[in-house]
Amino acid sequence: MSLITCKNLSFEYDGILAVKDINFSVPDGAYLCVVGENGTGKSTLLKGILRLKKPFQGDIIYNDELTADSIGYLPQQTPIQKDFPASVSEVVLSGCLNSLGLKPFFTRKERNRAKSNMEKLGILHIKNSCYRDLSGGQQQRVLLARALCATKKIIVLDEPAAGLDPIVTQELYEMIYHINNVHQITIVMVSHDIQAAIKYATHILHLQNTQLFFGTTEEYLESNIGEKFIGELNV
Amino acid sequence: MFDLLQEMFSYPFMLRAFLVGTPIALCASLLGVSLVLKRYAMIGDGLSHVGFGALALAAALNASPLTVSIPIVVVAAFLLLRLSENSKIKGDAAISLISTGSLAIGVMVISLSSGMNTDVSNYLFGSILSMSQNDVLISFGLSIIVIVIFVLFYNRIFAVTFDENFAKATGTNIRAFNMIIAFLTALVIVVGMRLMGALLITSLIVFPALTAMRLAKRFFTVTLNSALVSIICLWSGLILSYKYSTPTGASIVICNIMAFVIYSIIQKIRDTIIREK
Ligand SMILES: Nc1ncnc2c1ncn2[C@@H]1O[C@H](COP(=O)(O)OP(=O)(O)OP(=O)(O)O)[C@@H](O)[C@H]1O
Ligand SMILES: [Mg+2]
């Protein structure tokens, strides 16, 4: 069963095609890494999947189980959040909003969900700290906890490790792998870290303003594209 | 002090100023937190200028000020929101076009119809004498609407303010919430303008939020502090203005400036203490 299927998808900005001819599907439970060089349309594709940007052509078909309240999202940080006065628990709890329905306030159920996700990511002890005073790695964990609160099926991450040191990056990747492996949440992640992508991902999508490759990680390692891209980075 | 208060409240217009001002200050400060954090404070400024134009028009047409200005300002609010959301147009430049444009239209209308008189200066700088019994009722009614909506949607307002894209991607209708915020802002500005004046009403929105952010670190405490600061500054401003016969709007803004300075000093002190620990 696939959660998301893209058919002949393309996106444009002001009449200029940013990325075109995208055809792939995300199987339930997969860990899909989207790789490619800067400016090749990775973030644009994610925005399309998240319904933040309308496709220029083609279709995105969502599985019926994939309602808006089963998608979590970890965006690249916006400048606004950097000086925003909010506590860790306020940010994480806001992820539960989409399961609230018409109720105006959070109940114990949502609070417990937020708490258990903070525990999972090891940020429960800083739950009353101010978000803007945290380190970059801690902030990413907070945003990941919020994404976990929002999701039942899939998490979409845009370069979650940008700006983190190697050790924290490893920890973050382990957590994401754990979420995929143990909690059966599908992962769609943009990453520039090809080594980590090969290590953890089940599927790879390689973009260069068009689709160069889509398939399983094993197939990618054997393909010309994969060999070339990984080879370049290893030199 | 007590005597002063007693004497002050023996004047019906002073009592009315307190009754109108308190709920307005409360609403303005609640909305202000979201507007300031979303970088939408300019919208408030633009709206107050549109409000001035609308009041001038109402005076020229001999129509009731609120029935003319509320629809005009609400429409302007949606328009300004569209402009700020649309990154292709230079949002801030477009807002200053609209605000200076409405100011000019207002001044033209006034000079063609009645000439500059005290009414105009009341619109620009506010006057507690212009408050009627009706204003008290309207401002109470509107404030209750604003507060109820704010409380019911508090969690959604937080989410939309903190991260619009996340809220949208996970199924919140951010369009609707931005419209609600713009609509409520328009109402607060129209009603508050009579007291504060078109030129100063934005301060009621911006100052308390910025002051609260000096010290508070949670969205919730920022909101509470902002409301508290706003009401205290309004009261002290009214007392100041009564005691020294200074213009109301300006006196309230002066109190807000003082609160901002006090909070900033406390912040500095607190930060040095934390650093030395
Ligand atoms: N808001 C925008 N307006 C106009 N063009 C844009 C906009 N955002 C992206 N583009 C263009 O679309 C193309 C793809 O951009 P995108 O952000 O998707 O790249 P990316 O693969 O995520 O790059 P990076 O690795 O640097 O994050 C780029 O050529 C970029 O110039
Ligand atoms: Mg990108």
Side-chain angles (χ1 to χ4, degrees):
Chain A
M1 183 183 77
S2 59
L3 290 180
I4 299 173
T5 308
C6 297
K7 279 190 184 152
N8 299 323
L9 202 58
S10 64
F11 293 95
E12 58 148 29
Y13 289 101
D14 310 319
I16 299 168
L17 273 182
V19 54
K20 61 172 188 192
D21 298 332
I22 306 289
N23 286 286
F24 71 96
S25 57
V26 186
D28 194 8
Y31 186 139
L32 171 68
C33 250
V34 183
V35 300
E37 285 156 33
N38 289 129
T40 50
K42 304 181 298 294
S43 299
T44 306
L45 175 64
L46 287 203
K47 285 188 189 132
I49 290 177
L50 292 163
R51 300 181 177 94
L52 296 174
K53 181 164 176 56
K54 279 221 175 69
F56 172 58
Q57 277 170 340
D59 294 303
I60 308 177
I61 301 153
Y62 299 90
N63 188 297
D64 288 340
E65 285 178 29
L66 203 65
T67 48
D69 67 348
S70 48
I71 298 183
Y73 175 37
L74 197 154
Q76 279 179 310
Q77 293 224 354
T78 60
I80 285 195
Q81 292 167 356
K82 291 239 158 77
D83 57 354
F84 198 100
S87 70
V88 168
S89 57
E90 282 179 317
V91 174
V92 175
L93 196 56
S94 75
C96 296
L97 200 65
N98 55 1
S99 51
L100 217 50
L102 291 174
K103 283 181 294 177
F105 305 114
F106 293 116
T107 59
R108 175 157 309 141
K109 193 175 126 221
E110 283 89 23
R111 286 177 199 285
N112 284 341
R113 189 173 162 83
K115 196 175 158 204
S116 86
N117 282 328
M118 285 191 279
E119 207 161 18
K120 217 176 274 172
L121 295 184
I123 48 171
L124 194 56
H125 63 288
I126 50 166
K127 72 178 162 78
N128 291 322
S129 304
C130 183
Y131 174 81
R132 66 176 169 208
D133 297 342
L134 301 179
S135 73
Q138 286 171 324
Q139 289 186 343
Q140 288 302 80
R141 285 177 193 219
V142 173
L143 295 186
L144 189 54
R146 176 183 67 163
L148 271 178
C149 282
T151 187
K152 296 191 187 75
K153 288 220 107 34
I154 186 167
I155 294 189
V156 177
L157 310 105
D158 197 349
E159 297 187 34
L164 303 186
D165 74 45
I167 295 172
V168 179
T169 302
Q170 273 314 313
E171 280 174 13
L172 194 71
Y173 284 144
E174 288 293 337
M175 278 172 195
I176 295 167
Y177 181 65
H178 182 82
I179 290 165
N180 175 246
N181 207 19
V182 178
H183 300 281
Q184 302 294 319
I185 302 237
T186 308
I187 306 281
V188 175
M189 175 163 103
V190 169
S191 172
H192 284 292
D193 189 341
I194 187 74
Q195 300 301 346
I198 296 166
K199 185 169 164 200
Y200 296 110
T202 59
H203 293 72
I204 303 273
L205 174 65
H206 191 144
L207 294 184
Q208 192 161 60
N209 302 105
T210 171
Q211 181 171 322
L212 289 189
F213 177 87
F214 172 73
T216 63
T217 310
E218 289 79 46
E219 287 165 1
Y220 184 67
L221 287 174
E222 278 158 22
S223 70
N224 286 336
I225 301 257
E227 269 179 4
K228 192 158 159 264
F229 193 56
I230 296 162
E232 269 172 24
L233 293 173
N234 276 342
V235 192
Chain B
M1 184 71 190
F2 189 71
D3 288 343
L4 180 76
L5 288 182
Q6 204 166 31
E7 182 197 320
M8 210 168 78
F9 285 129
S10 65
Y11 293 99
F13 68 88
M14 279 311 294
L15 190 63
R16 275 204 293 272
F18 269 86
L19 290 179
V20 174
T22 308
I24 293 291
L26 182 61
C27 295
S29 63
L30 293 181
L31 291 170
V33 175
S34 193
L35 289 173
V36 167
L37 286 171
K38 283 172 83 87
R39 312 278 194 270
Y40 280 176
M42 275 303 287
I43 291 186
D45 211 41
L47 287 185
S48 56
H49 291 78
V50 173
F52 169 78
L55 282 185
L57 206 63
L61 297 174
N62 242 333
S64 128
L66 286 180
T67 41
V68 175
S69 51
I70 286 182
I72 293 182
V73 176
V74 167
V75 170
F78 292 153
L79 190 70
L80 289 178
L81 187 70
R82 274 307 266 285
L83 288 175
S84 326
E85 278 174 348
N86 196 335
S87 50
K88 271 180 216 154
I89 312 168
K90 295 261 170 291
D92 52 347
I95 290 176
S96 31
L97 282 187
I98 291 183
S99 63
T100 49
S102 332
L103 203 59
I105 291 173
V107 172
M108 286 302 271
V109 168
I110 289 166
S111 73
L112 287 179
S113 56
S114 60
M116 288 283 186
N117 53 21
T118 45
D119 263 9
V120 179
S121 125
N122 284 351
Y123 293 163
L124 284 175
F125 299 109
S127 157
I128 44 173
L129 293 172
S130 67
M131 298 283 144
S132 67
Q133 199 68 46
N134 238 353
D135 286 329
V136 177
L137 291 180
I138 290 172
S139 82
F140 258 99
L142 285 179
S143 306
I144 288 171
I145 295 176
V146 173
I147 291 166
V148 167
I149 293 181
F150 188 87
V151 170
L152 283 182
F153 289 142
Y154 170 81
N155 289 311
R156 286 162 176 91
I157 289 176
F158 170 80
V160 170
T161 310
F162 180 71
D163 190 344
E164 220 176 78
N165 275 343
F166 179 85
K168 193 174 174 190
T170 55
T172 305
N173 186 348
I174 58 153
R175 245 290 155 60
F177 284 98
N178 283 336
M179 302 253 281
I180 287 177
I181 291 175
F183 177 69
L184 297 181
T185 308
L187 293 184
V188 166
I189 281 177
V190 170
V191 181
M193 234 170 69
R194 313 286 297 285
L195 180 69
M196 295 295 294
L199 295 183
L200 296 176
I201 177 70
T202 330
S203 67
L204 225 50
I205 291 178
V206 176
F207 261 113
L210 281 180
T211 304
M213 277 173 221
R214 298 278 108 193
L215 288 185
K217 295 190 166 222
R218 299 174 58 121
F219 190 75
F220 187 69
T221 43
V222 168
T223 310
L224 282 187
N225 263 283
S226 176
L228 205 69
V229 166
S230 182
I231 290 175
I232 290 175
C233 288
L234 181 100
W235 288 347
S236 358
L238 285 176
I239 294 171
L240 194 76
S241 128
Y242 175 79
K243 184 123 190 264
Y244 299 103
S245 320
T246 47
T248 329
S251 313
I252 295 170
V253 177
I254 294 290
C255 290
N256 269 302
I257 294 175
M258 289 196 306
F260 183 79
V261 171
I262 293 171
Y263 266 60
S264 303
I265 292 173
I266 298 176
Q267 183 198 26
K268 276 264 146 56
I269 295 173
R270 190 186 62 183
D271 286 357
T272 33
I273 290 176
I274 289 175
R275 222 172 291 134
E276 275 166 15
K277 254 191 205 162

